[in-house]
Amino acid sequence: MPRTQASLRAYVVQRLLLTGPMVLILLTLVFYFLRAAPGDPVGAILGEHSGPLADSIRRQLGLYDPLYVQYVDYLRRIFTGDMGNSIITQHSVAADIAQRLPATIELTVASMFVAVLAGMLLGVVSATRRDRPADVISRLVAAVLYNTPIFWFGIIMQLVFAVQFRWFDSGGRLSAQFAIPPRVTGLYTIDSLVAGHFRTFIDAVAHLILPALTLGLVLAGFFARLVRANMLQSLQADYVEAARARGIRPLDVFYRHALKNAMVPVSTAMGLTFAILMSGAILTESVFSWEGIGRYIFTAISNRDYPALQGAVVYYALIMVFLSVLIDIFNAWIDPRIRY
Amino acid sequence: MTLLDIEGLNVSYASRAGPIRAVISADLKIEAGQTLGLVGESGCGKSTLGKAILRILPDTATVTGSIRFAGLDLVTAEEPALRKIRGRNASLIFQDPMTRLDPLMTVRHHFLELIRAHEPDADEDDAMKRTRRVLTAVRIPPDRLDQFPHEFSGGMRQRIMIALALVFNPTLLVADEPTTSLDVIVEAQILQLLDSIKNEFEMGVLLITHNLGLIAEYAEEMAVMYAGHIAERGPVRDVFKEPLHPYTKGLLDSVIDLETRELHSIPGQPPDLLQPPSGCPFHPRCPSAMPVCTGAFPPTTRPRRDRTVACYLYPG
């Protein structure tokens, strides 16, 4: 094993060293793109023809400084963890994001759980029963899920399960009668368990179910197609036939060879989806009044709230970099060919 | 002693355009410790025949006839019984070693998986001892056990495949174009290795190839296949000296050597197996075709000692 581990370690170190330049490039792009977009925050607040008042606010915000001064100032602040204050609410952007992040993490993890489970199940059933009724049905289900508009699906879920059957609330993270559990992680489900508030936990889970199903099932449609396509390919691979020719049991051939090889591209797609969800599922969060990052970004865009938007995008860039490093390392761990 | 006895073997694949008959009433015999060369053009059904022996054809294939091996008829045997035979009594090595090992698995795991599949209680030390022995036999340094397939060259990967095939000292090795994708030097190494192993382990070998040179060098018996039929069978020496079937003659004439002044080939193309010509499928390309050839497939006759041929030129 030592050789194998050494090559993996070298890969991880190299991959981590690359993240520095990557983050800097991303931060620079974020800065310039936002400045290049038409309109400015002061105009958004005061209207276009606001004269001297607007001028003085722009000066106060440093918007008249040369771009490179603004850029250096921007980088300096980010590295000290200061993302500025929202122009609209005056709240610290870093604090705002930190406060909303757990909601997004909770929704992301729950919906990915649904998506991976359902997607793998549908995909594997399809691939192993190719062109038989089970395959046709599961492909149909996957195609319908994948093509369902998420906001419409969310509203239908609310109408059926919240309005008609009254099994769940239609939105929010917790019912009014429960106190928010003392903050440890910010994830209500985990915090309530830590605090031993079991009924609060049940309520938090109940609030999570509808948005997680909505987002998760739509994604499951996508994953199912991906799993099926990759499984069909790996089931026909030469090494699968060779393993059969050596008398390996069909289940072992399936799991140890076909499924594992199919998972290399699939896990990359799943990891990237996870990363995208971490920027907030804007539609799902809006339909279910879920106060996460997605809603925050949406509001910031509508208000041209530069610091808020910039902070959110910086956060998103960092998450993306961090998660893609994790995905790369995970892939290198299962697929030795990537390490070189 | 007859190791493998194939009689009236038919394999057909279901396809949208209708059944494709890849092997048609084939008879073959391999004696213990003997190499039978099976030769034919691409698409004549020789690989299908090789895989049919181990019953690893896809679900779309239908197999009838009989394949007697290790006291069983492999055509009617159940899947668990077949599984015990595959990789233990009979092994298969393939044309393209580059893609035959699982890229995500170390060499060690390939061997461990194989040994555990047939001996679930085998302990790892013992399994590795056996692995080192076969790896040494194929001249792969056992200290490379923990490397992945992509760290080996094509020739080395084929030697690993051969080592995997040898773990349980099989009595039969089916080698399907084992050197076609390798360069000439490596090809010679692999074939010499196979030959010495065959003698050491007393294996019967079915050597499937389109290369008559390999057959001349390494096989004792040969069979010529055309469009799913066995056209001719006999000892290699006799067939080379006096080919009976016009197709065999054509094949031998197409071989190039230092004296070759002019290239010979058989005119036309191998037939479409979906719609083979009537009668003898070779008749559209045959220089000796007669009216009778378009009627029914010719009966197999025995015009010489130890020789059989399916051609109207040799009435029984």
Side-chain angles (χ1 to χ4, degrees):
Chain A
M1 296 282 140
R3 228 189 105 97
T4 309
Q5 276 174 2
S7 71
L8 185 58
R9 198 178 307 125
Y11 178 83
V12 170
V13 169
Q14 177 207 343
R15 194 66 193 73
L16 288 176
L17 286 178
L18 274 176
T19 54
M22 220 164 110
V23 168
L24 194 67
I25 291 170
L26 263 170
L27 293 181
T28 308
L29 288 178
V30 167
F31 177 82
Y32 281 102
F33 281 154
L34 282 179
R35 274 11 175 229
D40 81 345
V42 182
I45 302 165
L46 301 177
E48 283 308 320
H49 309 288
S50 35
L53 174 60
D55 260 5
S56 77
I57 297 178
R58 287 196 179 107
R59 189 160 293 122
Q60 187 196 327
L61 292 175
L63 292 177
Y64 282 139
D65 291 343
L67 220 46
Y68 71 89
V69 175
Q70 290 188 44
Y71 176 64
V72 171
D73 190 44
Y74 155 83
L75 285 185
R76 189 176 48 76
R77 281 158 170 271
I78 286 175
F79 283 108
T80 54
D82 174 12
M83 299 206 191
N85 293 332
S86 159
I87 292 178
I88 311 291
T89 64
Q90 300 300 325
H91 292 169
S92 150
V93 171
D96 269 357
I97 290 176
Q99 196 232 320
R100 281 152 186 270
L101 185 59
T104 289
I105 292 177
E106 202 160 41
L107 179 58
T108 300
V109 171
S111 49
M112 277 303 285
F113 179 76
V114 173
V116 170
L117 203 72
M120 293 278 293
L121 201 74
L122 285 173
V124 166
V125 163
S126 259
T128 50
R129 290 165 185 72
R130 184 179 190 175
D131 294 334
R132 280 187 261 169
D135 176 31
V136 175
I137 292 169
S138 87
R139 275 161 76 188
L140 192 73
V141 170
V144 168
L145 287 175
Y146 178 54
N147 291 297
T148 301
I150 205 159
F151 58 89
W152 176 84
F153 190 41
I155 292 169
I156 295 296
M157 294 286 263
Q158 284 176 332
L159 284 176
V160 175
F161 296 106
V163 178
Q164 193 63 39
F165 293 134
R166 298 185 174 280
W167 290 351
F168 306 106
D169 282 353
S170 65
R173 293 176 68 196
L174 214 56
S175 303
Q177 69 262 38
F178 292 105
I180 291 172
R183 183 171 174 130
V184 183
T185 58
L187 279 66
Y188 291 176
T189 45
I190 292 181
D191 287 357
S192 58
L193 280 184
V194 171
H197 300 163
F198 196 65
R199 289 167 58 91
T200 312
F201 171 74
I202 299 285
D203 189 63
V205 170
H207 277 83
L208 195 51
I209 286 177
L210 282 189
L213 275 182
T214 302
L215 189 53
L217 286 177
V218 171
L219 289 171
F222 167 60
F223 289 160
R225 293 159 70 112
L226 205 65
V227 169
R228 179 179 187 270
N230 282 289
M231 280 293 311
L232 285 181
Q233 206 172 33
S234 68
L235 280 170
Q236 283 173 2
D238 285 346
Y239 51 79
V240 165
E241 188 186 45
R244 273 186 67 203
R246 286 195 295 271
I248 310 298
R249 294 208 337 267
L251 267 183
D252 289 339
V253 173
F254 182 81
Y255 285 107
R256 217 177 285 146
H257 298 280
L259 188 61
K260 196 174 172 198
N261 274 279
M263 282 315 287
V264 176
V266 172
S267 66
T268 304
M270 286 176 174
L272 287 175
T273 307
F274 187 86
I276 291 168
L277 288 186
M278 285 297 285
S279 73
I282 294 182
L283 292 173
T284 312
E285 288 184 5
S286 298
V287 171
F288 290 98
S289 317
W290 196 266
E291 288 300 328
I293 302 282
R295 296 254 286 171
Y296 186 70
I297 292 179
F298 181 68
T299 318
I301 292 173
S302 329
N303 294 338
R304 291 249 158 54
D305 191 344
Y306 271 11
L309 191 51
Q310 201 165 270
V313 176
V314 164
Y315 146 79
Y316 180 45
L318 293 178
I319 284 278
M320 207 65 196
V321 168
F322 175 68
L323 287 177
S324 60
V325 169
L326 277 189
I327 295 165
D328 283 352
I329 291 174
F330 177 75
N331 278 342
W333 177 63
I334 52 175
D335 189 346
R337 287 166 300 181
I338 293 173
R339 289 174 211 162
Y340 298 89
Chain B
M1 194 191 83
T2 302
L3 176 67
L4 174 75
D5 190 357
I6 299 177
E7 268 175 28
L9 182 71
N10 289 289
V11 182
S12 68
Y13 294 102
S15 83
R16 265 174 213 179
I20 298 168
R21 301 190 67 191
V23 178
I24 302 161
S25 50
D27 299 332
L28 283 179
K29 255 195 185 93
I30 299 182
E31 304 295 322
Q34 182 191 60
T35 298
L36 171 72
L38 182 62
V39 68
E41 287 166 284
S42 315
C44 72
K46 54 191 195 300
S47 289
T48 295
L49 197 154
K51 287 176 188 172
I53 295 172
L54 287 187
R55 298 299 310 280
I56 57 157
L57 293 167
D59 292 342
T60 52
T62 314
V63 183
T64 59
S66 80
I67 303 172
R68 271 186 292 278
F69 174 74
L72 282 170
D73 181 354
L74 302 185
V75 173
T76 53
E78 299 286 328
E79 183 61 24
L82 290 169
R83 217 156 50 224
K84 279 185 196 142
I85 288 193
R86 292 180 193 135
R88 204 173 62 168
N89 305 71
S91 291
L92 180 54
I93 57 178
F94 299 87
Q95 176 173 350
D96 32 25
M98 297 306 277
T99 53
R100 288 295 174 179
L101 293 162
D102 186 333
L104 307 185
M105 224 183 223
T106 59
V107 173
R108 176 195 297 272
H109 270 97
H110 279 91
F111 282 93
L112 207 57
E113 178 189 56
L114 168 69
I115 293 170
R116 291 248 165 92
H118 293 286
E119 293 173 11
D121 307 324
D123 80 333
E124 188 165 346
D125 288 345
D126 178 53
M128 283 307 114
K129 212 176 281 169
R130 289 151 77 179
T131 301
R132 288 200 181 82
R133 187 180 61 88
V134 283
L135 281 179
T136 312
V138 301
R139 297 200 305 279
I140 295 285
D143 62 345
R144 298 191 61 178
L145 260 178
D146 287 312
Q147 292 183 6
F148 287 92
H150 71 274
E151 299 175 75
F152 295 88
S153 68
M156 293 182 98
R157 288 189 216 185
Q158 192 62 299
R159 281 189 269 154
I160 293 170
M161 290 301 294
I162 294 172
L164 279 166
L166 293 179
V167 168
F168 291 103
N169 295 352
T171 50
L172 175 68
L173 178 70
V174 178
D176 185 359
E177 306 252 11
T179 57
T180 305
S181 62
L182 304 174
D183 65 62
V184 195
I185 307 278
V186 180
E187 172 168 54
Q189 289 172 354
I190 295 283
L191 287 166
Q192 277 157 18
L193 176 70
L194 276 179
D195 208 42
S196 69
I197 283 167
K198 180 193 102 180
N199 296 328
E200 191 186 327
F201 292 74
E202 291 183 336
M203 285 186 304
V205 178
L206 176 64
L207 177 63
I208 300 173
T209 178
H210 60 266
N211 186 340
L212 282 165
L214 297 190
I215 301 234
E217 185 110 1
Y218 297 102
E220 288 100 41
E221 291 280 316
M222 69 184 281
V224 179
M225 212 169 167
Y226 188 80
H229 294 276
I230 303 288
E232 176 164 7
R233 257 171 67 189
V236 171
R237 205 175 286 270
D238 299 354
V239 175
F240 271 67
K241 205 184 291 170
E242 188 203 6
L244 297 175
H245 198 286
Y247 176 63
T248 316
K249 286 181 190 151
L251 276 183
L252 287 167
D253 281 344
S254 318
V255 174
I256 305 162
D257 61 29
L258 284 176
E259 267 83 65
T260 304
R261 294 273 171 265
E262 205 180 324
L263 290 176
H264 289 278
S265 66
I266 306 173
Q269 267 113 42
D272 177 4
L273 292 179
L274 256 172
Q275 287 162 310
S278 63
C280 170
F282 189 58
H283 81 256
R285 303 169 76 185
C286 183
S288 331
M290 303 174 282
V292 65
C293 298
T294 59
F297 188 79
T300 299
T301 58
R302 188 184 286 268
R304 309 276 185 280
R305 200 170 163 262
D306 299 330
R307 304 279 300 272
T308 62
V309 62
C311 179
Y312 285 113
L313 291 174
Y314 307 92

